[in-house]
Amino acid sequence: MNRQLSRCTPGGNRRANRGRWKAAITSLVAVVLLALARWHLCHASHLVPGSHIPFNKWTTFKWESIQTSKALEWHSCYDDTLDCARLDVPMDWLSPSGSSRVVLAIARLRANISHKDPDYRGAVIFNPGGPGGSGIWALKDHGALLQTIVGANHDIVTFDPRGIGASVPRIDCWGGDEVRRALWSLQETPVVDAHKGALYEAFVQATAASGLCEQEMQGEDSLLAHVSTAAHARDMLEILDQMDQKGLKYWGFSYGTILGGTFAAMYPGRVERLVSDGNVDYREWHLGTHINFLRDTDKVMDAFYHFCHEAGKERCDMYAETPLKIKENVDRLIEEIKTNPILVPTYKEDGDAPEMPFVVTYSRLKRAISSVLYRPIHTFEPFARVLSALEAGNGWPFWDFFGRDGILPSSLCPADAITSHKLSEILAEDTDDAFPAIMCADGEQLTASIEELGRYAAELQELSTAAGAVNVLFRIACAGRTIRPKFRFAGPFEGNTSFPILYISNIADNVTPLVSARNNSAGFPGSVVLIQNSYGHTTLAAPSTCTASYIRAYFQNGTVPPAGTECEPDYAPFGVTVPGAMEHAELSQTMWELYKLPPLSKPLAGFR
C-alpha cells in the first residue's frame, strides 16, 4: 500500500490552467465513490448463496400503468425522476415468431443535456450483479451516483433481466405463496463442515428445492428454459437497437461481468465501451466448476489480521502482538464455538433483545466471516468487536450486527400473493429464485455423485479455510436441475471488440479474484486489467478517486489505462492511512456531510 495516488492519474501531465478543473472533478468523483461504497455495504452482491441482503422499497409507481409494446416507448415514472418502458420481446430468441413472450421492465435516468447537444454521449447500460439483481431498483437507489462518475452527458439505462423484478413472467418457485417460501427458508442446513453428514443434508435439500421449482414452473414453454445469460445478452442487444444506439456502453458488476462478457463474445462489433468490475471467470461459470472464485478469499481474511495489527488496540479489539497471533486467536474462537455455541437470551436490561432466543452457532459464525469479507473497510472494525465479545462469551454484539433482523421473515402472512405474471407494488432489490435458475442454466448440467461433491467440498475448503465450507453450496445449488436452456452460449469467450474492454479488479477479491480478470482479458485483444490495491468484492468495496477517474476518462474520451496501471483506495480498513490518498479521503468525507446523504442502514441485516 505504498504507491502514490499521483502515479495513478489518467492522462499524465496536464497544463496548469486545467489542473483546478480536474481537481474539482476528481473531488466530486471521490464523493460519489464513497457514497457507492456505503450503498454496496448495505446491499452486497449476491454472488455467493447465503450472503445476500434482502431489502425492499415501497414505490408509488405501478408498472402495470405502462402499456407493453414491441417498440421502445418511454413514459415518465417515479415522480418524473426516470423514464420507464415495458418492451415485449420473444421468450425464445431462436424461434422469435413464437407466441410466448417476455415483457422487460426498462428504466432511464436522463442526461442533463439534450440528446441534440453535440456533447451528448449516448446511454450507458449497467447491471448491478446477481444473477437476480434488479436493475430498476439499483437505478432508483444509486443510478445518479453512477451517472456522476461516467458523466452526466450520458443517459443511465438499466433493465430487470427476464425473470427478475418488474419483468414478467418472473422466476418464482413458490407460485406466489410467500408463507411456504418463508417456512422453507427456516430449514437452512449448516455449513458442510459443521458435522458429519452436513454435506448430504445440503445436497438433498438442494435437490428438493430444484425439483419443487421445476414442478411449479413446468410447461411446454417453461421460463426456466429461457433464462440463460445468452438470452439476457440478446435482450440487451434488442434494447440497444430500439434506442437506435449502434455501440454498447456498459458497466457490469460481479455477475454483470458475465452478462457483459457474453455480449462481447456474441456481438464483439457492437462494443463501444465496456467496464467489467469484479470479474467472474467466464469459462468456469459456464463449465459449472466453481473453484477458482475462492482463489483470493483467504488473502482478504489475512488483510483482517494485517490491518488489525497495523491499527493497534485502540481501533481493533482483536489486536495482538503479531498478525499471526490474531489469526490463532480467531481460529481458536471458531473451534470453541463449534462445541460451545453462545446463547443470546430474550431478556436484556435495556429491553433491546431478540423476540426469541438466538444461538451463535459455528455455521452462523462461519457465514458471518464469509459476509464481512465483502466490505472490509466498513465491516472489519465492528466485526473485531463482535469477535472480542464472543471470546468473553457475549453474543449480544453478534446478534446486533448480524441477527437482529434476520431470525424470522418479516411476515408469514403476506396480504397478497404475487404470482409470476403479476406485477408487485414492491420495488425489490432482487428475485431470490433467479440466482440458481440462471447460474444452473448457464453451466453444464450437474451430474456429479455425492462422493464427487465431497471431493469438491474438500478442495474448496483447502483453497479457503475462511469461507470454503460456506461456499460449497454454490455448486450444489444446481443439484436436481433437469430443465436445460434452449439458447445457451458456452464460448469461445474471445473476440476482437470494436473498442477495448476495461477490466477492473481488487488486488484481492473474496469471490471474484484478480486471476479471473486476467483470464477473461486474455480472450479479448487490446483489453486492459486495472488493479485497485484494495480488498473485498468489486472496486466499490473501497472508494478510489484514482479508479473512478480512469472510468470517467474511459467513458468520456475513450482513454484506456496503460497496461500494468494500479490505483490506491482512498481508505483502508480500521482507519489505517493510505499513503497519497488521505487528502482526497478527507475532502470526500467533507462533501459527504455537505450533501447530507442518508446514513448507513444496519449492516448485513438479512443474515441468518
Side-chain angles (χ1 to χ4, degrees):
M1 304 286 286
N2 59 355
R3 301 171 182 84
Q4 297 297 311
L5 185 63
S6 58
R7 292 169 53 193
C8 308
T9 307
N13 294 327
R14 303 291 188 185
R15 296 178 182 176
N17 62 348
R18 299 177 63 186
R20 288 187 294 274
W21 175 87
K22 182 178 178 183
I25 291 295
T26 299
S27 300
L28 179 60
V29 166
V31 176
V32 173
L33 260 290
L34 177 60
L36 278 169
R38 290 175 73 98
W39 163 78
H40 223 252
L41 161 68
C42 301
H43 319 299
S45 173
H46 315 331
L47 187 58
V48 179
S51 69
H52 79 283
I53 303 163
F55 185 83
N56 293 329
K57 286 188 175 181
W58 287 94
T59 172
T60 57
F61 174 70
K62 295 184 177 181
W63 278 89
E64 61 191 8
S65 67
I66 296 180
Q67 184 72 29
T68 63
S69 173
K70 293 182 180 180
L72 187 64
E73 298 176 356
W74 294 111
H75 303 263
S76 178
C77 58
Y78 295 109
D79 299 322
D80 201 32
T81 59
L82 301 176
D83 296 326
C84 293
R86 299 184 68 205
L87 184 63
D88 183 318
V89 300
M91 179 174 284
D92 186 355
W93 277 111
L94 299 182
S95 300
S97 60
S99 60
S100 297
R101 311 292 294 181
V102 167
V103 178
L104 301 175
I106 308 169
R108 173 178 70 180
L109 176 63
R110 294 181 295 273
N112 67 355
I113 60 175
S114 168
H115 286 193
K116 297 180 180 180
D117 191 301
D119 197 40
Y120 173 67
R121 303 298 175 88
V124 173
I125 299 177
F126 83 96
N127 179 280
S134 166
I136 307 297
W137 185 96
L139 181 67
K140 193 171 187 298
D141 188 70
H142 57 278
L145 301 175
L146 296 176
Q147 188 180 54
T148 299
I149 294 177
V150 303
N153 52 354
H154 290 94
D155 294 327
I156 303 296
V157 173
T158 192
F159 64 106
D160 282 355
R162 55 174 59 205
I164 295 167
S167 293
V168 290
R170 261 186 315 281
I171 301 170
D172 183 357
C173 299
W174 301 92
D177 190 337
E178 294 305 309
V179 174
R180 284 200 306 153
R181 181 194 299 275
L183 291 174
W184 175 260
S185 71
L186 296 178
Q187 302 182 53
E188 185 176 60
T189 56
V191 297
V192 298
D193 67 338
H195 61 76
K196 187 176 181 180
L199 176 66
Y200 300 96
E201 295 174 19
F203 178 78
V204 172
Q205 188 176 52
T207 302
S210 297
L212 182 145
C213 190
E214 293 192 347
Q215 181 180 0
E216 178 63 38
M217 301 193 68
Q218 65 183 339
E220 184 178 347
D221 232 350
S222 171
L223 177 64
L224 294 179
H226 302 282
V227 292
S228 70
T229 299
H232 298 321
R234 181 60 183 85
D235 289 341
M236 192 156 65
L237 178 65
E238 183 68 14
I239 294 170
L240 197 66
D241 288 341
Q242 293 278 349
M243 293 191 301
D244 292 323
Q245 185 166 317
K246 181 179 180 181
L248 173 71
K249 290 187 173 184
Y250 178 83
W251 189 353
F253 300 92
S254 195
Y255 164 77
T257 66
I258 290 290
L259 176 56
T262 300
F263 185 97
M266 293 174 66
Y267 315 110
R270 299 296 296 272
V271 174
E272 185 175 345
R273 302 283 190 277
L274 199 157
V275 173
S276 191
D277 190 338
N279 288 269
V280 183
D281 191 297
Y282 300 149
R283 295 161 186 82
E284 188 170 84
W285 177 267
H286 286 86
L287 287 173
T289 50
H290 304 301
I291 294 174
N292 194 52
F293 73 107
L294 294 185
R295 190 69 57 185
D296 287 348
T297 308
D298 281 5
K299 293 179 183 178
V300 184
M301 191 67 211
D302 288 343
F304 174 85
Y305 310 131
H306 167 77
F307 285 108
C308 176
H309 182 260
E310 286 286 307
K313 58 185 177 181
E314 294 79 11
R315 295 294 297 266
C316 181
D317 285 14
M318 289 298 290
Y319 173 80
E321 55 269 23
T322 66
L324 179 59
K325 182 63 176 176
I326 298 171
K327 181 182 186 304
E328 291 172 349
N329 292 340
V330 172
D331 290 344
R332 186 183 308 111
L333 172 63
I334 293 171
E335 287 303 309
E336 175 70 18
I337 295 291
K338 196 169 190 177
T339 54
N340 294 283
I342 296 176
L343 173 67
V344 180
T346 57
Y347 172 78
K348 195 178 182 185
E349 289 185 0
D350 62 8
D352 189 19
E355 295 180 359
M356 61 187 299
F358 181 87
V359 181
V360 182
T361 64
Y362 172 80
S363 291
R364 279 180 167 149
L365 180 55
K366 290 291 285 186
R367 289 190 176 107
I369 291 172
S370 180
S371 295
V372 300
L373 300 181
Y374 280 80
R375 307 285 153 233
I377 287 177
H378 295 290
T379 57
F380 274 7
E381 189 168 349
F383 188 55
R385 292 194 290 270
V386 168
L387 292 175
S388 180
L390 289 177
E391 282 188 319
N394 178 9
W396 288 105
F398 185 99
W399 172 77
D400 186 57
F401 195 63
F402 295 107
R404 176 182 293 273
D405 300 314
I407 302 174
L408 286 174
S410 59
S411 173
L412 289 176
C413 301
D416 191 18
I418 305 298
T419 64
S420 64
H421 284 80
K422 186 174 181 179
L423 287 168
S424 172
E425 293 186 10
I426 296 178
L427 184 61
E429 184 187 2
D430 60 57
T431 299
D432 287 338
D433 296 336
F435 185 102
I438 296 170
M439 177 183 70
C440 301
D442 281 347
E444 299 285 351
Q445 187 169 6
L446 180 63
T447 58
S449 67
I450 188 64
E451 291 77 19
E452 290 172 315
L453 289 174
R455 291 191 288 272
Y456 167 74
E459 185 175 1
L460 275 195
Q461 291 173 77
E462 183 177 352
L463 191 62
S464 172
T465 58
V470 175
N471 291 298
V472 170
L473 299 182
F474 191 93
R475 187 181 179 198
I476 290 179
C478 295
R481 295 269 172 173
T482 61
I483 297 177
R484 300 302 298 155
K486 292 187 177 180
F487 183 20
R488 176 175 176 264
F489 182 80
F493 288 95
E494 56 190 37
N496 291 304
T497 54
S498 52
F499 197 84
I501 298 174
L502 175 56
Y503 292 92
I504 309 178
S505 176
N506 285 335
I507 192 69
D509 185 310
N510 55 307
V511 286
T512 55
L514 174 58
V515 67
S516 293
R518 288 174 170 154
N519 289 344
N520 292 349
S521 175
F524 293 93
S527 63
V528 170
V529 177
L530 170 65
I531 300 173
Q532 182 171 301
N533 290 310
S534 55
Y535 300 86
H537 184 44
T538 82
T539 59
L540 297 184
S544 169
T545 304
C546 172
T547 299
S549 297
Y550 274 116
I551 294 172
R552 183 180 178 87
Y554 178 76
F555 279 109
Q556 287 290 322
N557 312 315
T559 303
V560 179
T565 298
E566 299 184 14
C567 277
E568 299 302 327
D570 295 339
Y571 305 91
F574 293 103
V576 174
T577 299
V578 179
M582 288 307 293
E583 176 184 350
H584 299 279
E586 181 181 7
L587 180 57
S588 66
Q589 183 63 49
T590 302
M591 295 296 287
W592 175 274
E593 296 297 332
L594 177 65
Y595 283 106
K596 299 185 184 298
L597 294 177
L600 278 171
S601 49
K602 178 60 63 176
L604 306 170
F607 183 88
R608 278 197 301 277

